Amino acid sequence: QVIVYNEQILLIEIIYRFFFFFQAEDGIRDFCLSRGLGDVYKRQSLLRKDLELLKQLIEMIFLRMLDVDDDIDDEWSRPPEGYSQDLDTDSDYANVRFGMNTIDRLIAAINYEIMLPILSLMVQQMLQQGHDWRYKHAALMALSQVGEYVENVDFIAPIVDVVTPFLLDQHPRLRYAACHCLGQIGDDMQPKFQEKYNSKCVPPLVQLMTDAIPRVQSHACAALTNIFEGSPQDYVIPVSYTHLTLPTIYSVQISVVAVSLKKKKK
């Protein structure tokens, strides 16, 4: 048993070194990472005993999530008609989706009480990388996987505090990621999330309904839909929210009609 344990440690360390120190193609690196994770899923106790190995795996996962298109072109900003909010259909988010799904499986396999402190620490480190927005983007998308496994809604307070300011960040991809994170957690933790955090999350999300980037607008609306639909049946939406949302919805509808008429004239 000790021999098997040492072999597994050696395997993950070899994969870790290969991943970082060799300029391998993405497909090869994904194969190596998947190989290491496959062994982890079979022998979950391995990483429960050796948290340093767990950190190495999460670090490799985050590295893959950094591989997104750096350009904010018109195709991303203004998706075509019929565009789906589902990340599973978005080819630009293939590496991000791979990382999110992997983190989700790790939390389920290892236990969130072990995973969350390590994940939180690494997310904080990613958020402090001010030179490259992709680090913050990966951190926000990773946090979106947490809500499904946390039972005590109070544990989410630090996440909400971290994510909410990014709704008003200058970079559109970070605003988009913050919308995704809050919308996903709101959906996973309903209705407790709504009861505790609506007052903090709803106003900035409403503000994004008139964002200059249509894709961000769309994701803010999707997040608000998750939040309001997840509210308890006896929950009364405060009048202040209707004062915020109704004028915004009206202005958005007017702009959509104007764009539609312009296309018909062409």
Side-chain angles (χ1 to χ4, degrees):
Q1 188 174 6
V2 173
I3 294 175
V4 173
Y5 177 75
N6 289 334
E7 286 178 350
Q8 295 302 315
I9 292 177
L10 179 61
L11 174 62
I12 293 178
E13 288 181 347
I14 291 173
I15 292 171
Y16 180 80
R17 291 178 182 276
F18 183 88
F19 199 89
F20 280 97
F21 296 111
F22 291 89
Q23 296 297 321
E25 295 180 359
D26 288 347
I28 297 176
R29 293 201 296 178
D30 284 348
F31 172 79
C32 291
L33 182 54
S34 298
R35 178 70 176 83
L37 289 167
D39 286 333
V40 168
Y41 299 141
K42 294 176 183 176
R43 300 177 178 87
Q44 301 163 11
S45 60
L46 173 67
L47 292 187
R48 295 194 186 106
K49 295 177 181 177
D50 196 329
L51 298 185
E52 195 58 38
L53 284 181
L54 181 57
K55 290 179 183 178
Q56 289 181 353
L57 276 176
I58 297 174
E59 190 176 355
M60 288 189 282
I61 293 166
F62 274 136
L63 183 63
R64 294 302 293 126
M65 294 178 72
L66 298 180
D67 190 8
V68 293
D69 194 347
D70 198 28
D71 295 330
I72 309 296
D73 56 18
D74 197 56
E75 183 179 355
W76 185 88
S77 302
R78 300 178 180 277
E81 292 185 15
Y83 156 74
S84 172
Q85 291 285 350
D86 190 353
L87 289 180
D88 289 342
T89 63
D90 195 334
S91 60
D92 187 40
Y93 276 83
N95 294 316
V96 176
R97 183 169 63 248
F98 173 83
M100 291 167 60
N101 290 340
T102 304
I103 288 173
D104 184 74
R105 292 178 67 187
L106 273 178
I107 296 174
I110 303 299
N111 187 310
Y112 82 90
E113 292 180 350
I114 295 174
M115 274 288 294
L116 288 190
I118 297 174
L119 187 62
S120 298
L121 178 61
M122 299 192 73
V123 162
Q124 290 175 17
Q125 295 172 354
M126 299 280 282
L127 292 174
Q128 292 170 2
Q129 300 290 333
H131 65 285
D132 191 337
W133 64 268
R134 292 176 298 177
Y135 285 85
K136 299 176 182 177
H137 180 270
L140 293 172
M141 298 302 277
L143 285 176
S144 70
Q145 303 302 101
V146 169
E148 182 181 356
Y149 300 97
V150 178
E151 295 181 1
N152 189 339
V153 72
D154 292 332
F155 290 170
I156 297 296
I159 294 178
V160 174
D161 290 339
V162 165
V163 174
T164 304
F166 284 101
L167 291 171
L168 304 179
D169 193 89
Q170 291 185 346
H171 201 290
R173 292 239 189 192
L174 295 183
R175 298 197 299 275
Y176 175 91
C179 289
H180 177 82
C181 184
L182 293 177
Q184 184 63 55
I185 294 176
D187 186 47
D188 288 336
M189 299 193 70
Q190 56 178 280
K192 295 179 180 179
F193 178 91
Q194 283 78 353
E195 294 171 342
K196 190 170 182 66
Y197 301 115
N198 268 8
S199 61
K200 178 168 287 190
C201 298
V202 169
L205 282 170
V206 170
Q207 192 171 336
L208 288 183
M209 290 174 67
T210 55
D211 193 273
I213 305 297
R215 185 182 285 246
V216 176
Q217 283 185 15
S218 177
H219 225 45
C221 292
L224 283 169
T225 298
N226 284 355
I227 289 173
F228 285 138
E229 286 186 348
S231 298
Q233 290 185 351
D234 59 351
Y235 176 78
V236 178
I237 298 177
V239 175
S240 58
Y241 289 0
T242 59
H243 286 167
L244 283 170
T245 55
L246 291 180
T248 305
I249 292 172
Y250 177 75
S251 65
V252 169
Q253 287 180 328
I254 292 297
S255 64
V256 169
V257 171
V259 170
S260 178
L261 291 174
K262 187 177 181 179
K263 286 183 177 179
K264 287 182 178 181
K265 288 181 180 180
K266 291 181 178 180

